[in-house]
Amino acid sequence: MPAALARTLGALARTSRRFLEPARRALLFDPTWIFYSRSYEDDGVIEHLHELLNYLIKRPAMGAYVQCLDYLSLLYCRFGEDFGADMAFDNWALSLLRLCPNLTAVMIWPALDFGWADELARLPRLRRVYVMPRHESDLYDQDEVAFHAFLATLPMSRIEKLSFDTYKPPPAPPLSAPPPPVRLAGLHLELDDCRVTNWARAGLDDDDLRALLFSYADYEPGAVGADLVLPAKLEQFVLQPESDTHPFGSSCFSQFVGEWVQLFSGAAQRTNLREVALRAVPVDAASFAKVCAAAPNVIQLNMRDSRWRVDSAAAAAALDGMIVRAIGPLAHLRWLHLGEVPGGEAVLERTRAWCERAGVTLVWQSVPLPREEAGAGASASPAS
């Protein structure tokens, strides 16, 4: 076992033998996370990675403890080009994969000639795959080009959750027909800073997509695809930023409402949509009404950290009635988080009354109006 892990395990074992087995399981659950989290403060991580592989080769039964390799591609980004001529990082990663038969989750890079498909087929418990190009590497452009074709090699029938990082659609061939779209039937898909502007142009078949998480890197124009709409059979949708820093006062943030609301455009309602989360986005009465109209059977509507665009006391007072009109037809609604609502605790009086009658749990955070000088600190105001 790598020295860093062995020291931790030994310390726990000396405290009590009862800690030995739980500690071993915890330390080997995802060793890539442990090494990546130490990579910026420990100069010996490459040596530890070699030690891990040697440990599992000598004690193959220990490989059964490894459940996830969620930081494999990130370790390549950190150490792939400095790993040593005697064993390339590619060989190390494949060797590690073969020693971990109980993997349920893995992060890989989209290399067509690497043999990922055969290795993943040997993992009967695999349920989650994260595909990320090798950033900060000479191979990044190659990975980016191969991304779409690589997706077609994955065992989609066995995967429950699939995540893409910085995926870009395949270039349109000038004369020949485009490649067939990759089917995403029944999947929980996560798009992390991906420039997917249209499902068809992205080479993705969204007909039976069940859950979608869309992470955006910034509030700039184009962060959400101009022609991208939610799949018709979607059951769960989450829109959230990569960063916890939200530039509420910037013009980009205030204009972002026009970016995300088009996801709910189109004539067809998403009657299967039960859960919607819109994190840290600007929202106004029109966009909120569009979401409610597009998801008539929604059960949970969560806008935590989102901020309503209200700039006067009169607008805040009018907002209450607009919200009630929007949620009035939602017969299945049971939980509603309205995010940050300017105007004080009394501004949602009608909304609170409607939710109490309908049995809906209501949560929001009261914040000052933008032009108010007093009360700079926001107070949390949950109500049900």
Side-chain angles (χ1 to χ4, degrees), residues 235-278:
E235 298 171 1
Q236 180 183 20
F237 175 63
V238 178
L239 179 69
Q240 66 181 30
E242 289 182 359
S243 170
D244 291 333
T245 303
H246 318 308
F248 287 127
S250 73
S251 59
C252 288
F253 178 82
S254 62
Q255 294 167 7
F256 190 65
V257 65
E259 289 274 322
W260 69 260
V261 74
Q262 53 81 26
L263 291 164
F264 295 87
S265 63
Q269 291 181 316
R270 280 70 174 179
T271 54
N272 290 350
L273 199 54
R274 299 295 190 270
E275 298 180 25
V276 176
L278 304 169

Side-chain angles (χ1 to χ4, degrees), residues 96-259:
L96 180 62
L97 216 63
R98 291 164 184 164
L99 292 165
C100 305
N102 293 332
L103 278 180
T104 62
V106 64
M107 172 188 274
I108 58 180
W109 51 90
L112 287 169
D113 58 351
F114 191 67
W116 284 121
D118 292 338
E119 299 305 324
L120 299 183
R122 297 190 182 102
L123 301 171
R125 300 186 181 184
L126 186 67
R127 295 296 180 268
R128 179 163 51 88
V129 176
Y130 193 126
V131 185
M132 186 186 81
R134 287 166 285 188
H135 296 277
E136 302 176 18
S137 164
D138 293 340
L139 299 170
Y140 177 79
D141 291 340
Q142 175 181 308
D143 287 353
E144 189 177 70
V145 171
F147 209 135
H148 178 265
F150 177 77
L151 293 177
T153 70
L154 296 178
M156 296 295 189
S157 61
R158 294 197 294 114
I159 297 175
E160 295 175 358
K161 181 182 288 187
L162 180 64
S163 301
F164 303 166
D165 183 282
T166 56
Y167 172 75
K168 292 183 180 179
L175 299 176
S176 59
V182 176
R183 295 199 68 233
L184 304 171
L187 280 177
H188 183 139
L189 179 66
E190 295 185 352
L191 299 177
D192 192 355
D193 190 20
C194 297
R195 299 294 174 165
V196 176
T197 58
N198 175 286
W199 293 109
R201 286 199 294 272
L204 303 173
D205 181 351
D206 68 313
D207 282 350
D208 292 305
L209 189 63
R210 295 293 183 236
L212 174 64
L213 184 150
F214 196 110
S215 294
Y216 51 91
D218 51 46
Y219 296 96
E220 297 295 331
V224 177
D227 299 321
L228 189 68
V229 296
L230 295 184
K233 298 179 183 178
L234 201 65
E235 298 171 1
Q236 180 183 20
F237 175 63
V238 178
L239 179 69
Q240 66 181 30
E242 289 182 359
S243 170
D244 291 333
T245 303
H246 318 308
F248 287 127
S250 73
S251 59
C252 288
F253 178 82
S254 62
Q255 294 167 7
F256 190 65
V257 65
E259 289 274 322

Side-chain angles (χ1 to χ4, degrees), residues 229-375:
V229 296
L230 295 184
K233 298 179 183 178
L234 201 65
E235 298 171 1
Q236 180 183 20
F237 175 63
V238 178
L239 179 69
Q240 66 181 30
E242 289 182 359
S243 170
D244 291 333
T245 303
H246 318 308
F248 287 127
S250 73
S251 59
C252 288
F253 178 82
S254 62
Q255 294 167 7
F256 190 65
V257 65
E259 289 274 322
W260 69 260
V261 74
Q262 53 81 26
L263 291 164
F264 295 87
S265 63
Q269 291 181 316
R270 280 70 174 179
T271 54
N272 290 350
L273 199 54
R274 299 295 190 270
E275 298 180 25
V276 176
L278 304 169
R279 294 284 312 282
V281 298
V283 60
D284 55 25
S287 59
F288 182 74
K290 180 169 281 191
V291 172
C292 294
N297 297 321
V298 68
I299 297 173
Q300 294 185 27
L301 179 52
N302 184 358
M303 299 195 305
R304 183 165 63 92
D305 297 329
S306 293
R307 178 166 293 191
W308 287 78
R309 296 202 304 177
V310 174
D311 58 5
S312 68
L319 180 65
D320 194 15
M322 295 176 183
I323 292 175
V324 171
R325 286 193 293 274
I327 62 178
L330 303 181
H332 302 282
L333 186 65
R334 291 296 174 266
W335 197 83
L336 174 63
H337 196 314
L338 288 172
E340 300 184 3
V341 184
E345 296 185 12
V347 71
L348 296 181
E349 183 177 353
R350 292 178 59 188
T351 303
R352 294 176 66 176
W354 185 94
C355 289
E356 288 175 0
R357 291 195 305 270
V360 176
T361 298
L362 173 64
V363 183
W364 83 94
Q365 184 179 16
S366 177
V367 297
L369 288 165
R371 294 194 177 97
E372 287 182 350
E373 296 181 1

